[in-house]
Amino acid sequence: MPWFIARGISANAVSLAGLALGTSAALAYSRWEMWPLAVVGLLLSVCWLVADGMDGMIARATGTASPLGRALDGLCDHGVFVLIYVSLAVSIGTLEAWALAVAAGIAHMVQSNMYESERARFHRRRNAVATIASPAPSRNPLVQLYDHCWGLLDRVAARFDHALARHQSPAELAARYATLAVRPMRLMSLLSANVRVYAIFLACLFSNPRLFWWFELIPLNIILIVGLFQHRTVENRFTVPENHFPYREGIKK
């Protein structure tokens, strides 16, 4: 990262470079039946993951984070997978493959948004930060839509944030919350882009990209539902009426 910063390479430029790497991966996967090209697709996808993590680090290190950059990062991430899905569907060439690709793509967008939102909330709360940091306003309708979708779970899970803000010892509550919430967070980490990148490669290596789409539609949706349920269950343990708080037992009033 210091090398990029020293040469004035912006976070947005890294995001676009990542999109180029992802596009190249999609082209390689269009010939997935040739295993060397499937390996090339995997290597290019891993390079895209590196770029995907680096753009945010550069933006924070240089103080250049912006609504456009945030949306560009998210749209490039989704765009890479869209290109890969399309290349696989075109290579198979059946209506069934297109239906699976579209259904899996929709499931992917929901799963990814929910996971990233849950992960950001978990790290914020673990540091005893109750206030939800609102993104900088933007007039760009695409940015507004992205921010709205990003904040859906924040609005659903706001009761715990209110409890954290009112608690007499926020750090203690945050520690108790993190101890319980780390388990569902680990489960939901299976919804990350890293897992999908390797799942795509394995499905192509086994000569059936459909396996990846079914993986998204069934196991990953189950993981999403279970993870969200577990997170809300953890929150509810701390948002019941105060005289029923399990963590307040034994504390003198």
Side-chain angles (χ1 to χ4, degrees):
M1 186 181 70
W3 187 90
F4 289 87
I5 295 176
R7 286 157 180 77
I9 299 175
S10 69
N12 289 350
V14 173
S15 295
L16 293 174
L19 179 60
L21 288 167
T23 301
S24 300
L27 291 173
Y29 275 126
S30 67
R31 299 300 302 273
W32 53 267
E33 68 278 3
M34 301 173 61
W35 72 264
L37 286 179
V39 172
V40 171
L42 172 64
L43 294 177
L44 289 169
S45 296
V46 170
C47 291
W48 161 67
L49 287 176
V50 173
D52 180 45
M54 192 178 296
D55 55 6
M57 296 169 62
I58 292 174
R60 289 188 292 271
T62 58
T64 55
S66 68
L68 177 60
R70 184 177 63 255
L72 178 64
D73 179 35
L75 291 174
C76 284
D77 294 349
H78 291 303
V80 167
F81 281 107
V82 167
L83 290 171
I84 292 176
Y85 289 22
V86 168
S87 70
L88 293 176
V90 168
S91 68
I92 297 172
T94 65
L95 184 60
E96 174 221 9
W98 279 104
L100 278 175
V102 171
I106 294 172
H108 177 175
M109 286 189 289
V110 173
Q111 293 162 5
S112 179
N113 185 277
M114 295 295 184
Y115 165 65
E116 292 298 335
S117 178
E118 204 74 76
R119 185 166 67 97
R121 185 166 40 256
F122 170 78
H123 288 293
R124 169 174 59 79
R125 290 170 170 177
R126 187 177 61 178
N127 294 323
V129 178
T131 304
I132 300 173
S134 300
S138 172
R139 295 182 179 179
N140 189 315
L142 289 177
V143 175
Q144 293 174 355
L145 176 62
Y146 181 81
D147 288 339
H148 176 76
C149 294
W150 173 270
L152 284 176
L153 272 182
D154 275 328
R155 291 185 282 275
V156 172
R159 285 204 315 165
F160 177 84
D161 292 314
H162 296 155
L164 181 61
R166 296 194 307 267
H167 198 269
Q168 59 186 8
S169 179
E172 176 190 347
L173 177 57
R176 291 178 178 271
Y177 161 81
T179 299
L180 296 175
V182 69
R183 184 175 179 182
M185 198 69 255
R186 286 172 178 166
L187 174 66
M188 292 189 72
S189 67
L190 294 174
L191 302 174
S192 69
N194 303 45
V195 172
R196 286 186 171 86
V197 161
Y198 294 115
I200 290 170
F201 170 69
L202 290 175
C204 291
L205 201 61
F206 283 104
S207 301
N208 191 355
R210 297 176 183 82
L211 294 175
F212 168 69
W213 292 325
W214 283 115
F215 174 67
E216 282 201 310
L217 288 170
I218 300 177
L220 291 190
N221 271 332
I222 291 173
I223 288 171
L224 174 65
I225 293 169
V226 172
L228 292 176
F229 175 78
Q230 289 181 342
H231 272 291
R232 304 292 80 78
T233 300
V234 170
E235 291 171 353
N236 289 338
R237 293 189 60 174
F238 302 104
T239 54
V240 294
E242 289 193 5
N243 59 336
H244 291 104
F245 274 141
Y247 58 83
R248 291 177 62 94
E249 293 178 2
I251 298 178
K252 294 182 180 180
K253 297 183 178 180

